[in-house]
Amino acid sequence: MKEDRRHFLKISAMAAASLAATSILPACSPKRNRQPNSTMKLSWTPYDLQLNHTFTISGFSRTTTPVVLIKIDYDGLEGYGEASLPPYLGETQASVIEFLRKVDLSGFTGPDHIEGIMAYVDSIAGKNTAAKAAVDIALHDLVGKIAGMPWYKIRKLDKYNVPDTTFTIGIDSDEVVREKTREALGRFNILKVKVGGPDDKRMIEAIRSETDLPLAVDANQGWKDRQQALDMIFWLKEKGVVMVEQPMPKQDLDNIARLTEESPLPIFADESIQRLADVERIKGVFSGINIKLMKCTGMHEAWKMRELASSLGMKVMIGCMTETSCAISAAAQLYSGMDFADLDGALLIGNDCFDGAKLENGKIIPNDQPGIGVKPVKELFR
């Protein structure tokens, strides 16, 4: 097994180098006549998302998620971005704003060269991936508006050729689990269940008392023993589960690799993967990867991760944090042809401040507006 992994590491390293040398921006003809002296102006505002239900995973619970919304003004256009900040990622509204204050876009003539701009943004400080993602998303929004096209068209993707999004049910009492399940019926075609604790079977049975929809499960590193995890996965398969996310601690790659080898279900990396360099590290450990814009610095690197993983024969899914329709719409521009999706973040909150991609027949479908296809539904930037 270790020899196979070393072989894959060599192959994937070469593929990553090839991807890194290739511009992520396809050729597109700008449809606006830009002024030569146009500059990009960055502004931001903190915002707190209110969850419809208390959200509990293996390890903690929360009822709100802080975000920072950003806007880049350029040549009469506005590009919108978002940094979502669940506590476990280690970023806060204060840290994001501190980072954004260091971003100086005056040295760039426009948003077109996203690769170069994001290389500069990435160099300002380590980590801060959600803050960087906010800038990346806003740049993509601007470039799409300059081109007069949504990004799925720029990438030549079919916006309807997408997997169903899961609807997430956190760890909770039987009564609440059944209530959340009933909320999903008729709207979603697959549910995602947070597991990783002593009540996993109880929750699955509660859901099965309401529906036989396919299920995905996310253990958030909650299972510590490989044999117990394997036994649980065999039981889950009998209950109609179709995939498993991050079953064991992110550093325990050897045990996860053995689990993946023996599992009757595909095993996806979540906490074990963040950025492009991680793809080669976990080839041979997981069946696939979960790409999240907030962890990989945005759309430009998410696309590279998708292409590299696919070239290495790995399955790919797109995921999210609790987010507004801004970040969800950005992710929806990229996920055509992927294997799984978890893009329900904006559907879990009661105060979404953007209009964008919509739930249609269980899928998140972007609109045909240029850029990432969003507009604010309330005044955000004063």
Side-chain angles (χ1 to χ4, degrees):
M1 183 184 304
K2 290 184 178 179
E3 290 182 1
D4 289 342
R5 284 192 61 201
R6 282 195 292 269
H7 175 65
F8 278 121
L9 290 180
K10 291 179 182 178
I11 295 174
S12 56
M14 291 187 289
S18 175
L19 282 170
T22 304
S23 172
I24 66 160
L25 288 176
C28 59
S29 300
K31 295 189 176 182
R32 289 174 56 90
N33 295 318
R34 285 167 284 167
Q35 300 300 316
N37 295 323
S38 295
T39 58
M40 292 182 283
K41 178 184 176 183
L42 174 63
S43 56
W44 55 81
T45 186
Y47 192 74
D48 291 324
L49 306 183
Q50 305 296 321
L51 280 75
N52 296 327
H53 296 280
T54 299
F55 186 67
T56 300
I57 68 172
S58 175
F60 64 88
S61 301
R62 68 178 189 271
T63 57
T64 64
T65 299
V67 302
V68 176
L69 306 173
I70 79 161
K71 179 178 66 162
I72 300 178
D73 290 278
Y74 174 74
D75 191 25
L77 297 173
E78 297 175 334
Y80 296 102
E82 175 180 1
S84 176
L85 310 166
Y88 72 94
L89 289 185
E91 292 182 73
T92 65
Q93 289 172 330
S95 72
V96 169
I97 292 171
E98 180 183 2
F99 180 88
L100 293 174
R101 287 195 174 111
K102 299 175 183 176
V103 177
D104 180 5
L105 299 177
S106 63
F108 300 94
T109 57
D112 305 64
H113 302 290
I114 295 177
E115 189 76 11
I117 298 173
M118 288 308 299
Y120 153 70
V121 170
D122 205 9
S123 72
I124 293 173
K127 300 183 180 180
N128 293 281
T129 57
K132 295 170 183 178
V135 178
D136 168 280
I137 292 168
L139 290 171
H140 278 81
D141 198 22
L142 279 175
V143 170
K145 287 173 177 175
I146 292 169
M149 300 170 67
W151 267 90
Y152 80 84
K153 286 188 177 179
I154 293 174
R155 291 292 189 191
K156 296 180 169 45
L157 301 174
D158 178 356
K159 72 176 184 177
Y160 294 107
N161 179 31
V162 294
D164 294 313
T165 182
T166 55
F167 176 75
T168 305
I169 298 176
I171 298 172
D172 222 314
S173 67
D174 287 357
E175 180 180 355
V176 174
V177 167
R178 286 193 289 265
E179 177 187 350
K180 291 179 180 178
T181 302
R182 289 192 293 268
E183 285 181 14
L185 299 182
R187 302 169 61 214
F188 297 89
N189 303 316
I190 181 172
L191 306 179
K192 177 176 176 177
V193 189
K194 293 292 188 177
V195 294
D199 296 324
D200 293 348
K201 290 186 177 182
R202 173 186 61 77
M203 286 189 52
I204 298 297
E205 295 290 9
I207 292 169
R208 281 291 171 250
S209 72
E210 300 289 340
T211 182
D212 59 357
L213 283 176
L215 303 178
V217 299
D218 185 358
N220 291 115
Q221 310 180 78
W223 297 332
K224 309 304 182 186
D225 180 84
R226 182 181 58 82
Q227 187 58 53
Q228 290 180 352
L230 184 62
D231 291 343
M232 176 61 71
I233 291 171
F234 272 99
W235 183 85
L236 290 169
K237 185 177 187 299
E238 293 178 356
K239 295 296 180 179
V241 171
V242 295
M243 63 89 74
V244 178
E245 275 186 71
Q246 198 66 49
M248 300 182 69
K250 61 183 181 181
Q251 304 92 342
D252 196 2
L253 297 185
D254 286 341
N255 270 317
I256 296 173
R258 291 184 63 190
L259 181 65
T260 299
E261 190 176 67
E262 298 168 339
S263 172
L265 298 175
I267 307 294
F268 280 72
D270 185 357
E271 286 87 349
S272 289
I273 189 166
Q274 182 161 342
R275 303 196 58 176
L276 179 64
D278 296 321
V279 177
E280 57 190 78
R281 181 175 59 86
I282 64 168
K283 174 60 188 177
V285 177
F286 292 88
S287 312
I289 63 171
N290 184 356
I291 301 171
K292 296 182 178 178
L293 301 189
M294 296 301 132
K295 297 197 318 186
C296 73
T297 74
M299 296 170 69
H300 81 292
E301 191 153 320
W303 183 261
K304 291 180 180 181
M305 292 174 70
R306 168 201 170 122
E307 295 295 279
L308 177 56
S310 297
S311 73
L312 296 172
M314 300 180 76
K315 295 180 181 296
V316 183
M317 73 175 289
I318 190 87
C320 67
M321 310 301 179
T322 309
E323 300 166 357
T324 74
S325 286
C326 178
I328 295 297
S329 297
Q333 299 287 337
L334 303 176
Y335 82 121
S336 175
M338 288 191 183
D339 299 285
F340 289 96
D342 178 28
L343 291 179
D344 64 343
L347 303 173
L348 303 177
I349 61 174
N351 61 335
D352 192 0
C353 52
F354 283 92
D355 182 52
K358 301 292 186 184
L359 180 69
E360 297 181 18
N361 300 316
K363 305 175 187 293
I364 298 294
I365 305 296
N367 57 41
D368 290 324
Q369 298 302 308
I372 63 172
V374 298
K375 61 180 180 180
V377 296
K378 61 174 71 174
E379 185 177 0
L380 297 169
F381 302 91
R382 300 177 186 273

